[in-house]
Amino acid sequence: MKPFAAIYSTFLQRAYDQVVHDVAIQSLPVRFAMDRAGLVGADGPTHAGSFDIAYLGTLPNFVLMAAADEVELMHMVATQVAINDRPSALRYPRGEASVSNGRLSEPRSKSARAGCYAKGHPSQSFPMAHACACLARAERLSGYGLSASVADARFAKPLDLDLVSRLAREHEVLITIEEAPSAASAPR
């Protein structure tokens, strides 16, 4: 049996003491699936999972990840199933996901490698989630003659330090984006 706790991100925040003492310190392989992570719009600020990266990222032994789309979400659930020596948390936003292409789910590497979707120069966007919205913004910047790379961090903990170091060496500016609205709701 592999325990999964599916919960709104903001409700997990209310159980923080239990997460610290009953899961993190003991390094138990509890898998948290956190719905409504980030800004949730119509649910209002009391139901927004705005603080989960901050409060879980500081805890010992945690793996903290976010999926850019439905396919990545399936892979990350498979990753959680494979993690048997520590707790993990998977954040995902409220709303509909993109349609799956039917690929089988495979665990992501424990090394938490990030994905690089688009390469440009001189600025860099490094989102934790919502890579599609960041790609739309990079495309918009290209209309102004500005080139931007977009890398999807996927894991807030552990960070892919090799990629972050390489991007810092290759780009003049790094911009981190923790939450991004959908491309459809972006101001024009």
Side-chain angles (χ1 to χ4, degrees):
M1 304 271 302
K2 297 190 178 211
F4 272 83
I7 187 169
Y8 280 19
S9 171
T10 189
F11 296 166
L12 185 62
Q13 174 183 319
R14 295 167 186 161
Y16 187 68
D17 190 54
Q18 286 78 21
V19 173
V20 171
H21 292 282
D22 300 334
V23 178
I25 290 174
Q26 299 181 55
S27 197
L28 296 177
V30 176
R31 296 143 186 99
F32 295 97
M34 300 181 333
D35 187 13
R36 287 168 168 72
L39 306 175
V40 296
D43 286 350
T46 61
H47 286 65
S50 304
F51 306 108
D52 51 34
I53 294 173
Y55 73 76
L56 291 176
T58 62
L59 295 180
N61 309 314
F62 252 88
V63 173
L64 179 55
M65 55 191 132
D69 58 26
E70 181 194 51
V71 172
E72 188 67 30
L73 181 68
M74 292 186 313
H75 290 300
M76 288 185 172
V77 169
T79 301
Q80 285 188 293
V81 170
I83 297 172
N84 293 310
D85 60 346
R86 68 191 65 187
S88 60
L90 173 55
R91 336 172 50 239
Y92 52 94
R94 175 182 187 253
E96 295 181 22
S98 60
V99 178
S100 169
N101 64 5
R103 290 186 288 175
L104 295 176
S105 300
E106 300 173 0
R108 290 297 185 225
S109 167
K110 285 190 178 181
S111 64
R113 294 290 173 207
C116 200
Y117 289 123
K119 187 166 173 132
H121 194 72
S123 63
Q124 171 67 32
S125 175
F126 197 65
M128 170 64 184
H130 308 290
C132 293
C134 293
L135 285 170
R137 272 127 183 111
E139 180 66 29
R140 189 166 175 205
L141 286 173
S142 71
Y144 295 105
L146 300 170
S147 175
S149 297
V150 176
D152 183 2
R154 292 186 182 136
F155 289 78
K157 184 179 177 185
L159 279 176
D160 185 347
L161 296 178
D162 292 338
L163 178 67
V164 174
S165 296
R166 181 175 55 85
L167 293 172
R169 283 190 311 274
E170 295 175 359
H171 294 79
E172 295 173 27
V173 177
L174 296 179
I175 301 168
T176 60
I177 300 171
E178 183 178 319
E179 298 296 335
S182 69
S185 66
R188 304 213 185 272

